[in-house]
Amino acid sequence: MLPTIVVYKKLPQDVLDDLRRQAQVVVLEAEPGASHEALADALGAALVDADGAIGASVKVTPQMVARAPRLKAISTISVGVDNFDLADLTARGIVLAHTPDVLTESTADTVFALVLSSARRVVDLAEWVKAGQWHGSIGPEQYGVDVHGKTIGIVGLGRIGGALARRAALGFNMRVLYTNRHPNEAAERAFGARRVELGELLSQSDFVCLQVPLTPQTRHLIGAAELHAMKRNAILINASRGAIVDEAALIEALSAGTIAGAGLDVFEQEPLATNSPLLSMRNVVALPHIGSATHETRHAMARCAAENLIEALAGRLTRNIANPEVVARLRARAY
């Protein structure tokens, strides 16, 4: 008998067709104008009879999972797993798969695009030109700052952080500082990266780039004190998770000139409210969470997530597992 899979995010047609050849597929499609809460409610109801689920951007709560006695695996089309209670899934023996490798390069491209566009005021000046303000030679009021040869501080030197360090060191001759739970010896050898404490990184970096996952330990990792520790001409870049930064403190720091600017792809609440002060600040580049949003990468992520789910339901998944202890426990029982 084929397993039942709930799909709660639109998939490329070829990926969906492949899933339908291997499972009974229930597709949840949000009605036009439907709220996020309505989709979450529909997902909770659909999970009751499901063996697996695949999707993204919906918080899957322990209450939802408790109603799903057959659920064996969930596959998220993302690298981050902060929409799940990992401890609860692990306790219930439910495998959580994610897509950590396929989006690395695209996301690192986005991060460095934020570095460049913030430093060289690309968005601000493009709007200035379109508004008909360019009447002659530009002056210091339109100048940006150099990126090449500066110091970049990367908070979290994992896959994406490492790809960012490669772009910075080899492409722009930047000095690379980083913080990480463990030394990244490969980055130290290849890019001259130097591991330092967070305080030193903040005080020495011209660009501070956040590349850590959202956990209880990293929530509001960057607050008022950390922003005050940065250089006044420094730029904060966040393309990881919005809640890693205390947004109210960031708004205050940008308004007061505590730091020079920010390049943001993520926010504490998404979509960003239309009345957010961040949207009226010329020293802020704000993007709609596009980190991995290219046609090629999003297709690869969906394909990877679908393969993860089918393999997990068959008991064959050996990679891309967010809670590998579940798989180890299941294998131990089989012997």
Side-chain angles (χ1 to χ4, degrees):
M1 183 177 175
L2 294 177
T4 297
I5 291 172
V6 175
V7 176
Y8 61 97
K9 188 174 181 67
K10 187 175 178 62
L11 297 177
Q13 192 59 50
D14 62 316
V15 175
L16 186 59
D17 289 344
D18 281 350
L19 280 178
R20 283 178 167 146
R21 284 189 281 270
Q22 302 175 79
Q24 300 181 64
V25 177
V26 177
V27 178
L28 299 183
E29 295 186 5
E31 296 293 331
S35 67
H36 187 80
E37 290 74 17
L39 179 59
D41 290 343
L43 175 59
L47 287 178
V48 171
D49 299 313
D51 300 292
I54 178 173
S57 305
V58 177
K59 195 162 193 66
V60 177
T61 66
Q63 292 75 21
M64 294 162 68
V65 174
R67 298 170 56 197
R70 288 167 41 187
L71 194 63
K72 298 181 180 66
I74 302 174
S75 186
T76 179
I77 312 172
S78 65
V79 62
V81 295
D82 46 287
N83 275 326
F84 304 89
D85 187 320
L86 202 56
D88 181 71
L89 292 178
T90 301
R92 295 178 186 278
I94 298 170
V95 174
L96 178 62
H98 62 152
T99 60
D101 291 310
V102 294
L103 51 70
T104 297
E105 297 299 332
S106 293
T107 304
D109 282 350
T110 299
V111 178
F112 214 84
L114 284 169
V115 170
L116 288 169
S117 58
S118 299
R120 297 305 303 270
R121 300 177 56 193
V122 171
V123 175
D124 176 31
L125 293 177
E127 293 175 348
W128 182 75
V129 172
K130 288 181 177 181
Q133 299 299 307
W134 187 22
H135 301 303
S137 297
I138 65 168
E141 297 81 4
Q142 287 78 46
Y143 293 172
V145 296
D146 283 335
V147 173
H148 64 88
K150 295 292 183 68
T151 297
I152 188 169
I154 304 174
V155 182
L157 204 68
R159 294 177 179 87
I160 297 169
L164 177 60
R166 168 162 39 88
R167 285 159 173 76
L170 304 186
F172 289 80
N173 194 32
M174 299 180 81
R175 175 184 177 224
V176 179
L177 303 179
Y178 77 98
T179 64
N180 208 49
R181 286 179 298 176
H182 307 288
N184 188 326
E185 295 176 356
E188 291 175 5
R189 289 192 302 270
F191 316 129
R194 186 165 71 88
R195 187 179 181 218
V196 297
E197 295 297 322
L198 179 60
E200 183 178 349
L201 181 148
L202 294 173
S203 67
Q204 293 194 23
S205 299
D206 300 295
F207 302 91
V208 174
C209 300
L210 308 177
Q211 295 303 145
V212 291
L214 179 60
T215 67
Q217 291 73 36
T218 62
R219 182 175 294 275
H220 285 190
L221 176 68
I222 304 299
E226 289 74 25
L227 292 163
H228 277 279
M230 292 171 61
K231 296 180 179 181
R232 288 185 68 84
N233 62 350
I235 294 173
L236 178 72
I237 305 294
N238 188 12
S240 49
R241 286 294 185 267
I244 291 167
V245 177
D246 182 338
E247 206 162 281
L250 175 61
I251 291 169
E252 174 60 29
L254 290 165
S255 300
T258 304
I259 62 173
L264 308 171
D265 188 40
V266 291
F267 305 89
E268 289 205 75
Q269 296 295 325
E270 297 180 2
L272 184 62
T274 56
N275 63 350
S276 170
L278 293 169
L279 295 179
S280 62
M281 294 179 172
R282 296 179 63 184
N283 57 345
V284 172
V285 176
L287 298 178
H289 204 151
I290 66 165
S292 61
T294 67
H295 291 291
E296 300 92 337
T297 295
R298 287 294 173 89
H299 189 280
M301 289 171 65
R303 169 68 62 190
C304 177
E307 292 172 352
N308 286 344
L309 182 57
I310 293 300
E311 292 294 296
L313 290 174
R316 298 190 297 262
L317 189 65
T318 58
R319 61 189 180 91
N320 302 336
I321 305 167
N323 54 348
E325 55 269 44
V326 170
V327 175
R329 190 190 313 156
L330 293 174
R331 285 179 182 154
R333 288 176 185 171
Y335 286 101

